[in-house]
Amino acid sequence: MISLFIVSQVLLASTALANPMPSKILRARANTPSAYPGDQGDPIHNELQYVNFDMSNQQDKDRANKIHYAFGEAFKYIQGGLIASEDKSKAFNRYFDTEEDDTEKDEVRSALYQIVVEDENDPRKTESFTELMSGVVVDNEDFLNGCNADFDGKQIRAYTADIDDEERPNWIHFCDSAYEQKVLRDITCAEQGDLVSETMDSFTHTLVHELTHQDEVGTGSDGALKIIDAQFPLVEGDEEQVYAYGAYLAWQLRVRADGRTTINADNYAWMLTNAYFDQTCQKEFADPVDEDTD
């Protein structure tokens, strides 16, 4: 099933219905966030904040621990993508265009360096998570009731609140279906075929997808362009548009070369996932196929 990180537009205020940012939405009142509350080691430097996790409840504890573990994995996951961008690898070029110049490469690196700190001595390395990440809040409460929304029969895994939400600006919620995903550690090369596919999808992938929606993680030198969930016509000239979610559709957005890859969250997530498995499995995976029809 194609991964989907969206809250249906029916949840949006009427003034936002035309907004092409469906996983960026608005709403209500919160408890006070705190540092990582779990029991799997100390908080990571500049780790996310947590709210509404009851540590006397085993499920809540397991979920906080899973986020904590995936956040730690995300560091090397992003570093691998930065290496892929520097090398202009097949994985990077599958989801971003470097044929004409390095504009998209530079925009991608600029965005990722809002999540991790650049090593000034080595463009292939990172030092830590940025201070920005320490202000990102994960709310265990489905505060928009978004996980119950119906979106064309697709499974909703996570959403990010709109920056204009006074109570929860840019807060993230993971739905039950997200916690069913494996972390990268538990996905093996033996499970993979020869193509980039949804078998590579992970909770870490979902987490980083949502982190790219933070308003400060913009592309371009001035951070002016915000990373959204872009739509495009799968059939050229068709009025019907699809969201560029999943390995295949994110790749198709790149194939159309319409300049929106650097503002689409799943192009970042799938480039990073593709690069991770190319590097980990020591092979170059081939182009994805439409798993909804093939």
Side-chain angles (χ1 to χ4, degrees):
M1 175 179 237
I2 292 176
S3 301
L4 190 67
F5 319 112
I6 182 174
V7 174
S8 173
Q9 286 180 324
V10 299
L11 293 175
L12 294 169
S14 59
T15 55
L17 286 176
N19 191 328
M21 302 165 64
S23 68
K24 309 285 310 267
I25 46 192
L26 309 167
R27 183 118 232 152
R29 175 143 225 107
N31 292 320
T32 303
S34 66
Y36 165 61
D39 57 6
Q40 300 298 306
D42 295 329
I44 298 165
H45 181 60
N46 286 334
E47 184 167 351
L48 316 171
Q49 297 285 299
Y50 296 72
V51 69
N52 292 318
F53 287 85
D54 178 2
M55 290 300 99
S56 66
N57 179 290
Q58 189 60 49
Q59 182 183 73
D60 283 12
K61 181 186 290 188
D62 290 345
R63 289 182 171 189
N65 288 339
K66 188 162 194 169
I67 296 166
H68 171 73
Y69 186 86
F71 188 68
E73 281 193 327
F75 187 75
K76 287 191 69 175
Y77 174 74
I78 292 172
Q79 182 168 288
L82 288 164
I83 291 171
S85 71
E86 190 67 18
D87 294 343
K88 298 182 183 178
S89 72
K90 186 173 182 179
F92 187 82
N93 285 320
R94 177 169 285 124
Y95 291 103
F96 300 100
D97 185 5
T98 60
E99 292 178 3
E100 298 293 329
D101 55 37
D102 285 347
T103 299
E104 290 197 9
K105 169 190 166 182
D106 293 343
E107 289 182 352
V108 170
R109 292 177 67 84
S110 175
L112 293 178
Y113 280 134
Q114 296 298 318
I115 300 174
V116 295
V117 177
E118 182 176 9
D119 185 329
E120 294 181 359
N121 299 313
D122 188 342
R124 300 167 67 85
K125 293 183 178 179
T126 52
E127 294 182 342
S128 65
F129 286 103
T130 62
E131 187 175 350
L132 171 65
M133 293 297 100
S134 68
V136 177
V137 177
V138 179
D139 192 340
N140 194 41
E141 180 182 292
D142 183 7
F143 56 93
L144 292 175
N145 198 29
C147 297
N148 295 322
D150 178 24
F151 185 77
D152 294 340
K154 302 289 187 179
Q155 188 175 43
I156 295 170
R157 287 183 177 160
Y159 60 81
T160 296
D162 193 276
I163 187 63
D164 295 327
D165 185 331
E166 294 182 1
E167 292 295 331
R168 298 178 171 88
N170 273 181
W171 285 23
I172 297 170
H173 174 71
F174 295 103
C175 302
D176 291 347
S177 58
Y179 293 108
E180 294 171 2
Q181 293 182 288
K182 297 177 181 179
V183 292
L184 285 169
R185 173 193 62 191
D186 297 331
I187 302 175
T188 67
C189 294
E191 296 174 59
Q192 310 309 319
D194 294 323
L195 311 178
V196 177
S197 74
E198 303 296 324
T199 60
M200 299 175 175
D201 201 357
S202 67
F203 184 78
T204 310
H205 173 119
T206 301
L207 170 63
V208 173
H209 175 113
E210 294 306 323
L211 292 180
T212 66
H213 280 319
Q214 298 300 304
D215 272 50
E216 294 85 349
V217 184
T219 60
S221 59
D222 61 355
L225 299 175
K226 302 307 176 185
I227 299 171
I228 61 172
D229 301 303
Q231 291 177 283
F232 71 105
L234 190 55
V235 178
E236 194 166 348
D238 197 336
E239 290 187 5
E240 183 179 354
Q241 304 228 334
V242 296
Y243 284 100
Y245 286 116
Y248 176 75
L249 291 176
W251 170 54
Q252 285 299 300
L253 184 66
R254 156 69 177 89
V255 169
R256 305 307 163 89
D258 69 355
R260 285 183 291 171
T261 54
T262 57
I263 62 167
N264 186 55
D266 235 20
N267 279 70
Y268 288 83
W270 274 105
M271 180 277 288
L272 294 170
T273 291
N274 189 168
Y276 172 85
F277 281 98
D278 278 8
Q279 294 159 7
T280 301
C281 303
Q282 298 187 314
K283 65 180 283 187
E284 285 189 346
F285 289 88
D287 294 337
V289 296
D290 185 352
E291 296 185 39
D292 278 356
T293 58
D294 289 39

